[in-house]
């Protein structure tokens, strides 16, 4: 049903062993067929250097033949009741259901895209290896890095999300995985005309951002677009509203003080 509804499949992710106890589908089943689903992803949010317990809801869907029967509503009620002890519950909703989630106490929240006008620096020497998402050894190495990673931002970031990252590595960014030996870091990025899209930096230690940028930004690029919240506002980031078809909804159960402007990491978005 996820394939029919969203055009995504979980079989590869499952076969590689990334479907763990942190991904919990709540489903109604009729005649051995899933007809409605709300999935729970157990995650930690790092907000102003404090770890907050959270769940991220995803894959909310109902089979066309079973819609308008209140099935998704009932599943949402069950999930919200079972996880009322966490700090934050959140999700990314498509444009067709923006009126659904406020009924459960969720509020839409704007994200910000951070963009850097890059001043070129001499590149730091490092051995760079492109990783192969079809190679089990490379995937195992990425997974180990992710399980021991340093959070990319202490202002707003996620942790304990290595399985979500592996979905992106295998299903979305399989051609964009680069390992920098000196930094012991996986860098996920794409080049397009005039700019770099930087999606993630995965390492067991805090990596110097300027060092990474010096190695991945070619002379003909002048902008770096971040798909996560970068620390270090002294860099002089330009900030623009982040607009996609998906809108962030948050139910802040313990009144966590969120930054006024932040970007949820794309590679841990369910």
């Amino acid at each position: 049903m996820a394939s029919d509804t969203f055009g995504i499949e979980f079989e590869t992710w499952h076969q590689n062993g990334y479907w763990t106890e942190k991904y919990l589908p709540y489903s109604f089943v009729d005649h051995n067929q899933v007809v409605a689903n709300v999935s729970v992803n157990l995650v930690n949010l790092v907000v102003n250097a404090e770890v907050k317990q959270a769940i991220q809801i995803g894959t909310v869907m109902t089979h066309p033949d079973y819609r308008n029967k209140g099935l998704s509503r009932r599943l949402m009620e069950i999930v919200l009741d079972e996880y009322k002890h966490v700090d934050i519950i959140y999700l990314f909703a498509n444009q067709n259901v923006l009126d659904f989630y406020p009924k459960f106490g969720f509020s839409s929240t704007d994200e910000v895209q951070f963009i850097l006008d890059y001043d070129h620096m001499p590149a730091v020497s490092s051995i760079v290896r492109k990783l192969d998402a079809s190679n089990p050894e490379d995937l195992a190495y990425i997974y180990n890095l992710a399980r021991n990673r340093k959070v990319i931002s202490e202002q707003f970031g996620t942790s304990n999300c290595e399985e979500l990252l592996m979905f992106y590595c295998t299903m979305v960014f399989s051609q964009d995985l680069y390992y920098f030996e000196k930094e012991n870091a996986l860098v996920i990025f794409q080049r397009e005309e005039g700019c770099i899209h930087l999606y993630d930096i995965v390492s067991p230690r805090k990596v110097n951002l300027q060092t990474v940028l010096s190695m991945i930004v070619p002379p003909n690029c002048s902008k770096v677009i971040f798909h996560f919240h970068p620390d270090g506002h002294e860099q002089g980031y330009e900030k623009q509203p982040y607009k996609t078809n998906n809108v962030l909804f948050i139910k802040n159960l313990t009144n966590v003080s969120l930054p006024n402007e932040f970007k949820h990491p794309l590679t841990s978005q369910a």
Side-chain angles (χ1 to χ4, degrees), residues 3-270:
S3 178
D4 291 339
T5 306
F6 301 114
I8 58 175
E9 60 94 1
F10 295 104
E11 185 62 30
T12 301
W13 186 65
H14 174 263
Q15 290 295 334
N16 283 318
Y18 306 132
W19 186 325
T20 70
E21 70 283 353
K22 289 184 284 184
Y23 179 71
L24 304 167
Y26 287 70
S27 303
F28 282 122
V29 177
D30 187 30
H31 293 95
N32 295 318
Q33 179 185 10
V34 174
V35 298
N37 182 79
V38 171
S39 291
V40 167
N41 297 269
L42 306 181
V43 304
N44 290 330
L45 286 179
V46 179
V47 182
N48 297 321
E50 294 184 356
V51 177
K52 302 297 180 180
Q53 190 176 8
I55 66 166
Q56 183 181 179
I57 293 173
T59 331
V60 180
M61 55 188 177
T62 303
H63 189 281
D65 295 341
Y66 292 80
R67 290 175 183 166
N68 302 313
K69 300 178 183 296
L71 300 183
S72 290
R73 172 183 286 277
R74 181 61 185 135
L75 290 173
M76 283 292 297
E77 291 171 345
I78 292 169
V79 166
L80 294 179
D81 183 63
E82 289 196 14
Y83 293 94
K84 58 190 175 185
H85 61 281
V86 304
D87 295 300
I88 291 177
I89 301 175
Y90 69 101
L91 55 91
F92 293 85
N94 63 49
Q95 298 290 326
N96 298 325
V97 291
L98 299 185
D99 294 335
F100 180 65
Y101 297 105
K103 299 174 183 177
F104 300 95
F106 288 86
S107 298
S108 62
T109 305
D110 293 330
E111 292 185 274
V112 169
Q113 182 106 69
F114 292 83
I115 301 171
L116 181 65
D117 286 323
Y118 182 68
D119 292 326
H120 286 272
M121 299 172 58
V124 176
S125 177
S126 181
I127 297 175
V128 181
R129 182 166 66 93
K130 186 171 183 179
L131 301 183
D132 183 356
S134 65
N135 184 331
E137 291 184 2
D138 282 355
L139 284 182
Y141 196 81
I142 294 171
Y143 193 33
N144 186 60
L145 271 182
R147 293 172 71 179
N148 296 285
R149 73 175 299 171
K150 179 80 171 176
V151 63
I152 199 165
S153 170
E154 293 191 347
Q155 292 176 298
F156 189 90
T158 57
S159 64
N160 200 34
C161 296
E162 54 268 19
E163 290 81 15
L164 282 171
L165 172 70
M166 297 310 296
F167 180 86
Y168 281 89
C169 287
T170 55
M171 307 301 293
V172 182
F173 299 120
S174 61
Q175 302 301 311
D176 309 303
L177 310 171
Y178 300 88
Y179 177 69
F180 291 74
E181 185 173 292
K182 186 176 181 180
E183 290 68 33
N184 190 24
L186 168 72
V187 182
I188 305 176
F189 70 96
Q190 294 174 337
R191 293 189 178 108
E192 68 176 31
E193 186 176 354
C195 72
I196 291 286
H197 288 270
L198 183 55
Y199 294 99
D200 209 342
I201 302 172
V202 183
S203 176
R205 62 175 184 261
K206 193 74 171 181
V207 174
N208 185 286
L209 180 60
Q210 285 295 335
T211 299
V212 170
L213 294 181
S214 75
M215 292 185 286
I216 69 172
V217 183
N220 63 337
C221 286
S222 59
K223 285 188 180 294
V224 180
I225 299 173
F226 294 85
H227 294 267
F228 55 86
H229 187 111
D231 283 343
H233 287 284
E234 68 277 0
Q235 300 289 344
Y237 298 107
E238 175 190 351
K239 289 173 281 189
Q240 296 180 355
Y242 181 71
K243 299 296 184 182
T244 69
N245 289 328
N246 296 315
V247 177
L248 173 61
F249 280 86
I250 294 177
K251 188 177 177 72
N252 194 342
L253 297 176
T254 59
N255 295 316
V256 175
S257 181
L258 298 171
N260 290 329
E261 299 173 312
F262 66 87
K263 174 71 185 75
H264 186 281
L266 179 64
T267 57
S268 55
Q269 179 175 322

